[in-house]
Amino acid sequence: MGETRRRFLRAAGASAVGLSGGVAGTAAQSGGVGLLLNWKPNGLHVPYYAARARGYYDEQGLTLARIESGQGSDFAAKQVGLGNTEFAVTSADQMLNVNTRGLSPRSVGVVMQRSPVVVFTTDGTFGGRLTGADQLAGKTVGTGPGMVKILTKLLLEEKGVLSDVTLVDTGFDTVQQLLGGEIDAAGGVFADAVVARRKAGGVSSIPVAETIPSYGHVVGANADFADRNPENVRGFLNATARGAAWATDNPEKAIRLLVEANPALSETAGTQRAKWVEMASQYVLSQAVRRHGWGWSNPRPWETTYQALREADLLGGETDPASVWTNEYLDADYRYVGEYAAQVSPPEATTSGGTTAEETTTGTTSGGRN
């Protein structure tokens, strides 16, 4: 075991997700596979719970033995890189990050085809609708840490208003500070905008992905496990895609399955449904998905995110962005993957719109590692 891996084991906690060894063996040997979420279960995780409850993983010959609550996308990326879980819900930026720090998990499917980061506000706080970044000149914009702050700054810079905006760190209290009038607008994720809307009514937002091509949630897989068990990875993605398709067309039933698995969510079921509806209608589908199928990666968003992290000095070293992701496990012959767009009728979203990551560029709707 190398020193880099030892440092990660000490810092991240090798047994933090309840596994004491690696996962390179077959799913049958380990009694099934595990999925580590990026955060506590919520409406953004509906596809996995729906697929498990409806037997879609079983139909693929795969037992999803565990869906475990996470501690952030950074933690999830580390754990799947270390081999403490076969699969993880994480983010494109954290997959790039850990691949510069001695670990090598791979993104095997893009769940959110554009970044979830938005700049948003409420009508009451802003005194009207936010329709363009130029309106933020002279305003105070609060953001949380990490990629949210980076992408918010990039958006303001691209729109030529960064020097006219007071940017403040609101930690993990962004929505509360917005609702309290301490800031004029917020950089956050669309789920934050959903929460704000349910508390304050009218919310308007500017999706960062309209300007900066970048991805949101991805399915990370342990590289050794994927190499040795390609059919397990393919089956996991097939089942997850089918779960997403069913949940898109049946949001009420899907949320019931989520709540049945996580009773603590019963009091916020309406908010969880709103999060899922927003995700299903605005983030899962894209031109790449329509052309190539559910989960497809294009190179440009990975390269853009990598360069943003480098310029912010948030990486541990160098890596080739193209080595971090692959389309090779996506089964285009499975209709819920290859013909995903034809299987769904997404409900109408309410807080954000705009284009997906690859639609902000030209000539980037195919290619990359496949």
Side-chain angles (χ1 to χ4, degrees):
M1 182 184 294
E3 182 58 30
T4 299
R5 185 174 172 85
R6 289 192 187 94
R7 285 197 298 270
F8 259 114
L9 288 168
R10 288 194 296 267
S15 62
V17 294
L19 298 175
S20 58
V23 296
T26 65
Q29 289 174 330
S30 64
V33 299
L35 171 66
L36 176 64
L37 302 179
N38 60 314
W39 196 240
K40 298 175 183 178
N42 63 76
L44 307 185
H45 304 128
V46 161
Y48 315 103
Y49 286 98
R52 185 170 71 166
R54 293 182 61 80
Y56 298 156
Y57 293 111
D58 294 334
E59 289 177 10
Q60 294 290 324
L62 190 67
T63 299
L64 182 56
R66 303 170 303 280
I67 302 180
E68 301 192 64
S69 181
Q71 301 175 35
S73 291
D74 53 348
F75 180 80
K78 289 175 185 177
Q79 292 299 318
V80 76
L82 287 166
N84 291 328
T85 184
E86 290 86 354
F87 299 102
V89 179
T90 181
S91 60
D93 60 295
Q94 291 302 331
M95 289 293 284
L96 289 162
N97 182 28
V98 300
N99 269 270
T100 68
R101 299 177 186 274
L103 299 178
S104 56
R106 279 179 283 175
S107 169
V108 293
V110 176
V111 182
M112 288 186 186
Q113 287 283 317
R114 62 189 180 101
S115 171
V117 177
V118 296
V119 177
F120 68 100
T121 189
T122 67
D123 295 354
T125 298
F126 204 67
R129 304 291 288 172
L130 175 63
T131 59
D134 58 302
Q135 294 172 271
L136 295 170
K139 303 293 187 180
T140 298
V141 178
T143 76
M147 205 62 190
V148 169
K149 184 175 183 178
I150 292 172
L151 288 177
T152 299
K153 288 183 67 175
L154 282 176
L155 172 68
L156 297 174
E157 185 175 22
E158 286 290 322
K159 296 299 184 180
V161 297
L162 180 59
S163 61
D164 299 317
V165 170
T166 301
L167 200 62
V168 298
D169 186 355
T170 50
F172 296 100
D173 197 35
T174 304
V175 173
Q176 289 73 18
Q177 291 191 37
L178 176 66
L179 297 178
E182 298 174 51
I183 55 178
D184 299 307
V189 296
F190 73 86
D192 296 327
V194 168
V195 172
R197 186 186 71 242
R198 294 186 70 85
K199 292 183 176 182
V203 166
S204 49
S205 63
I206 303 171
V208 166
E210 283 190 342
T211 303
I212 303 160
S214 50
Y215 288 136
H217 286 187
V218 301
V219 175
N222 177 268
D224 289 341
F225 176 81
D227 287 343
R228 299 187 188 187
N229 303 277
E231 290 305 315
N232 290 153
V233 179
R234 193 166 292 112
F236 181 88
L237 296 174
N238 284 352
T240 301
R242 187 175 180 186
W246 180 83
T248 297
D249 292 338
N250 300 276
E252 296 289 350
K253 294 178 180 178
I255 293 301
R256 283 201 291 271
L257 295 178
L258 174 70
V259 171
E260 285 175 9
N262 303 278
L265 295 177
S266 59
E267 294 182 2
T268 62
T271 298
Q272 305 312 326
R273 182 190 184 282
K275 289 179 182 180
W276 169 243
V277 166
E278 189 79 9
M279 178 173 164
S281 61
Q282 295 292 323
Y283 292 85
V284 178
L285 280 170
S286 69
Q287 285 300 103
V289 169
R290 292 183 178 93
R291 294 182 183 186
H292 303 289
W294 178 90
W296 190 264
S297 271
N298 282 320
R300 179 67 183 279
W302 290 98
E303 293 163 1
T304 300
T305 303
Y306 179 68
Q307 291 304 322
L309 291 168
R310 282 190 65 188
E311 291 173 10
D313 197 26
L314 292 176
L315 298 175
E318 301 286 330
T319 193
D320 177 3
S323 69
V324 176
W325 59 273
T326 180
N327 291 320
E328 67 180 291
Y329 299 105
L330 294 171
D331 183 2
D333 292 329
Y334 185 66
R335 66 173 178 155
Y336 292 103
V337 174
E339 299 175 13
Y340 180 86
Q343 310 302 318
V344 298
S345 299
E348 184 177 354
T350 53
T351 65
S352 64
T355 54
T356 51
E358 80 286 347
E359 291 166 331
T360 64
T361 65
T362 58
T364 60
T365 53
S366 62
R369 299 177 68 222
N370 54 27

